[in-house]
Amino acid sequence: LVPLSRRLEPQAFVETIANSLELELDMRLEAAAASEMADVLAKDGYMSAPSVVWDGVGKRVLTLEWAQGLPMTDPALAELPGLDTDLLADNVVRAFLVQALDHGVFHADLHEGNLFASAPAHLTAIDFGIVVDSSVVVIENIIRRLAHHGKCSGSERLAIVRDAASEVRIPTVMGQLIIMIVYLPILSLE
């Protein structure tokens, strides 16, 4: 049993988990993500994020302004005077889509436990431990597809890159060009 488990590299697995936990628990990284998301969310108004209180941020401490409203997990929210539940639901969907499709970055842990709401339909997001850059998703998709196809010609690689990039919209034409120009040669399998 022991020789068979060596191929799973248990020591490397434990080191990876330990390193991931260290990064996950560094509140300075979450503060940076919260600040970025606050800027992104302010552009469209479907949702907001509390501002970071930078003087109160350290490796183990994150201080944000107070999140307005009631937690979306609170049953009292349904009885909140003036709450427009249809508009609230619309804002949740629009906020996510605008983040991912128009701005290239999105809150990837957007559930009711991380949302506060106030009347008529204002949303405030919290917990920015998982914020995803859409371009990273595209690159991972490209690498996965190229690895799956093995050796292929330049035109085949170009088609793979185009298909993979089309699944996650890069916000600008310039962003798409950068991916095509910079990453295609790097990902060459020849």
Side-chain angles (χ1 to χ4, degrees):
L1 182 65
V2 173
L4 290 175
S5 69
R6 283 193 187 120
R7 70 181 179 85
L8 300 175
E9 300 181 36
Q11 186 174 357
F13 174 76
V14 170
E15 288 172 7
T16 299
I17 297 298
N19 291 337
S20 296
L21 283 173
E22 185 70 25
L23 289 173
E24 176 72 21
L25 296 173
D26 189 338
M27 295 294 106
R28 298 170 298 187
L29 298 174
E30 186 161 341
S35 181
E36 179 181 12
M37 286 307 302
D39 292 345
V40 167
L41 294 172
K43 292 177 183 178
D44 301 297
Y46 297 115
M47 185 180 291
S48 67
S51 295
V52 174
V53 180
W54 287 104
D55 289 340
V57 173
K59 188 170 184 170
R60 300 281 178 242
V61 177
L62 172 63
T63 308
L64 301 173
E65 289 181 343
W66 190 257
Q68 298 298 315
L70 292 174
M72 290 195 65
T73 55
D74 187 337
L77 182 64
E79 306 301 322
L80 189 66
L83 187 68
D84 183 340
T85 56
D86 289 338
L87 184 56
L88 189 67
D90 188 61
N91 283 349
V92 170
V93 173
R94 288 179 186 274
F96 176 78
L97 292 174
V98 165
Q99 290 169 46
L101 301 178
D102 291 344
H103 302 298
V105 62
F106 59 94
H107 189 306
D109 194 19
L110 203 56
H111 57 79
E112 68 279 7
N114 288 338
L115 289 171
F116 287 72
S118 58
H122 182 76
L123 291 159
T124 302
I126 61 166
D127 188 357
F128 301 94
I130 308 173
V131 172
V132 176
D133 180 337
S134 298
S135 62
V136 171
V137 175
V138 171
I139 299 308
E140 289 172 350
N141 194 9
I142 291 169
I143 291 169
R144 183 178 43 54
R145 285 176 183 227
L146 287 172
H148 175 74
H149 286 282
K151 269 194 173 253
C152 53
S153 69
S155 61
E156 290 169 323
R157 280 194 311 275
L158 184 59
I160 291 168
V161 169
R162 282 187 182 142
D163 289 345
S166 70
E167 288 183 10
V168 178
R169 186 174 152 237
I170 301 300
T172 64
V173 172
M174 185 57 75
Q176 293 172 13
L177 288 174
I178 289 169
I179 284 177
M180 299 296 249
I181 293 167
V182 174
Y183 290 106
L184 191 59
I186 293 171
L187 298 173
S188 173
L189 298 176
E190 293 181 342

